[in-house]
Amino acid sequence: MKEITQLEELKQIELEIMKKIHKFCVDNNITYFLSYGTLIGAIRHQGFIPWDDDIDIEMFREDYNKFCALFPNVESELGLELVNHKTKRYLGRPMSKVIDIRTELIELGFSGDDKLGVFIDIWPIDGVRKNKYRQLFFTIRYGFLKKLLYANISIPPDKQNLNAFIKQCLKPFSRWPSNKKKVEIMDKIASNIDINESDEVACYAVSSKIIYKKDDYYSAVLVHFEDADFFAPIGYDKILRKYYGNYMELPPVDEQVPHHICGIYWK
């Protein structure tokens, strides 16, 4: 196998995956949104953040389920593969990835997952209960399951904080129920919140504490990204400021580093 060591080569593979996902979603009336660092890149740099090394997109749960149901019908002809906790190639997390099957990638720290490939992350968006007490109970339950799920992830030395300490305390209890069962429960309780009856939304797989106005996702707008145009939520400025603060300001130089560019190969 030939190792992929250049960030620009990795970005080009991811960009080609994203172009195929975009066309598939347009053809099948599935709405997606660029998200997180990818959305910052689109708005601030009209492409990748220069040091970024992955692409993230979000979908409302209904579109997410539709995507997961239909994409396997075309993935082989696209040279791609959908992976999550329900697929043959196993991903033990409450989200999905679309991988390039010509490549192999090992995500550091994630035990129990099968070997993947260069990927696009797909995150489900769910509703928020109007009853604050019921929402608080859900948040506590979901958050506890999430901590159990990720208790076995290795923690870099520079991240040894309170959350790291909690993970270490939970580690002896993290084997039950199985990771697969944890993810199934997390997906079930998150998707039980009817997004059509919600004024607010959240991507619980990323954070159960950060809540957005559903109106900010009311429609999708095309934004330029490298040599293509992809969809972003209409309220992208409010969404990014809610999560990052002043996202137009560059982070310190020592934080301008990629996170995934290691252990990646052409098969």
Side-chain angles (χ1 to χ4, degrees):
M1 295 190 296
K2 180 184 177 183
E3 187 171 10
I4 297 171
T5 58
Q6 297 300 312
L7 182 56
E8 293 308 313
E9 184 177 9
L10 175 62
K11 287 180 179 180
Q12 190 58 43
I13 301 169
E14 292 169 345
L15 182 60
E16 293 307 313
I17 299 173
M18 188 61 226
K19 289 177 180 178
K20 293 175 182 178
I21 290 176
H22 172 80
K23 184 178 186 306
F24 174 82
C25 288
V26 170
D27 290 345
N28 289 277
N29 195 30
I30 294 172
T31 301
Y32 74 85
F33 309 101
L34 298 183
S35 59
Y36 306 110
T38 309
L39 183 55
I40 289 179
I43 304 306
R44 194 171 69 195
H45 304 276
Q46 290 74 58
F48 284 98
I49 294 175
W51 57 90
D52 200 8
D53 59 3
D54 67 348
I55 292 178
D56 293 286
I57 64 175
E58 294 177 314
M59 299 176 183
F60 284 135
R61 178 69 67 171
E62 184 177 357
D63 286 302
Y64 177 84
N65 289 342
K66 184 177 179 181
F67 182 92
C68 291
L70 296 181
F71 194 78
N73 297 329
V74 301
E75 61 183 15
S76 60
E77 65 188 70
L78 296 177
L80 305 175
E81 183 181 350
L82 175 75
V83 294
N84 53 45
H85 71 284
K86 296 180 180 179
T87 56
K88 184 176 180 180
R89 196 193 303 246
Y90 179 72
L91 176 74
R93 284 168 265 173
M95 41 87 73
S96 293
K97 293 178 183 282
V98 171
I99 66 172
D100 187 317
I101 61 174
R102 301 171 300 167
T103 63
E104 184 175 288
L105 177 149
I106 301 173
E107 280 196 273
L108 298 178
F110 288 94
S111 60
D113 288 350
D114 291 335
K115 289 182 179 179
L116 304 176
V118 175
F119 59 81
I120 302 294
D121 281 333
I122 306 177
W123 304 93
I125 302 174
D126 292 295
V128 174
R129 289 186 173 91
K130 292 182 178 180
N131 184 304
K132 293 184 178 179
Y133 295 104
R134 292 184 65 197
Q135 180 64 23
L136 177 61
F137 176 73
F138 160 80
T139 300
I140 293 171
R141 186 184 178 195
Y142 189 97
F144 180 69
L145 286 166
K146 186 178 177 182
K147 280 184 167 57
L148 282 180
L149 179 67
Y150 292 121
N152 287 315
I153 296 176
S154 59
I155 304 163
D158 61 334
K159 301 295 184 181
Q160 299 290 343
N161 51 25
L162 178 59
N163 285 332
F165 174 74
I166 293 172
K167 282 183 179 181
Q168 291 301 316
C169 293
L170 290 173
K171 196 169 184 177
F173 308 99
S174 63
R175 294 185 179 182
W176 188 90
S178 68
N179 281 358
K180 184 176 179 66
K181 186 64 176 177
K182 289 190 204 65
V183 175
E184 287 175 355
I185 296 171
M186 292 166 73
D187 264 2
K188 182 177 180 180
I189 62 177
S191 58
N192 275 345
I193 306 173
D194 189 351
I195 201 166
N196 296 313
E197 296 181 4
S198 302
D199 297 324
E200 298 175 310
V201 297
C203 179
Y204 297 112
V206 173
S207 174
S208 56
K209 298 177 182 178
I210 301 179
I211 306 300
Y212 307 96
K213 295 293 185 183
K214 190 169 70 174
D215 285 349
D216 291 334
Y217 288 91
Y218 180 75
S219 62
V221 294
L222 283 171
V223 292
H224 197 64
F225 191 92
E226 300 296 336
D227 62 352
D229 293 312
F230 300 132
F231 287 111
I234 192 167
Y236 63 80
D237 182 67
K238 292 180 182 178
I239 292 167
L240 289 175
R241 290 188 184 280
K242 179 88 171 182
Y243 196 88
Y244 295 100
N246 183 11
Y247 65 92
M248 294 301 288
E249 182 179 338
L250 293 176
V253 175
D254 61 347
E255 295 180 16
Q256 297 179 19
V257 293
H259 301 289
H260 298 96
I261 185 70
C262 59
I264 309 172
Y265 301 90
W266 291 107
K267 289 182 178 178

